[in-house]
Amino acid sequence: MADNIEGTVNGEVGSAIQIRDLRKVYGSKPAVDGLTLSVNRGSFFGFLGPNGAGKTTTIRMLMGLATPTAGEISILGMIMPDQSLDIRARIGLVPD
């Protein structure tokens, strides 16, 4: 059973967040380079890493505040940025 980018497994919703080959480049410097991950519904997930690892940039792309250079994002089965308004209506962000 393989997940697709819409966040479904055999037609049933499975992933809360699904990212495939996500990339963000500022000038010639990649901030995020080929990130692929899946976070299942009902699970907890944290971004940990050193300064400059791309954590904030990834969150900004997940929230629709930054446009990816390449890659695909699905949140709650909805495609970012196509359904960004619907996604934003269902999630929240509290920065530290």
Side-chain angles (χ1 to χ4, degrees):
M1 291 190 292
D3 284 329
N4 63 26
I5 194 63
E6 287 82 24
T8 61
V9 179
N10 291 336
E12 296 182 17
V13 176
S15 296
I17 300 171
Q18 191 161 14
I19 299 171
R20 184 171 297 144
D21 299 323
L22 191 62
R23 180 170 171 82
K24 178 66 174 177
V25 178
Y26 293 103
S28 62
K29 182 178 179 186
V32 176
D33 194 9
L35 176 64
T36 297
L37 68 86
S38 181
V39 179
N40 291 330
R41 288 180 183 243
S43 65
F44 291 91
F45 186 85
F47 281 117
L48 302 174
N51 292 342
K55 301 177 301 291
T56 300
T57 300
T58 300
I59 295 294
R60 290 179 52 78
M61 289 188 284
L62 288 172
M63 294 299 300
L65 302 173
T67 304
T69 303
E72 300 172 321
I73 299 170
S74 170
I75 299 176
L76 302 173
M78 296 175 277
I79 304 299
M80 180 67 82
D82 300 347
Q83 296 173 285
S84 62
L85 292 177
D86 294 327
I87 292 169
R88 288 182 194 171
R90 306 241 355 241
I91 63 175
L93 172 66
V94 180
D96 60 333

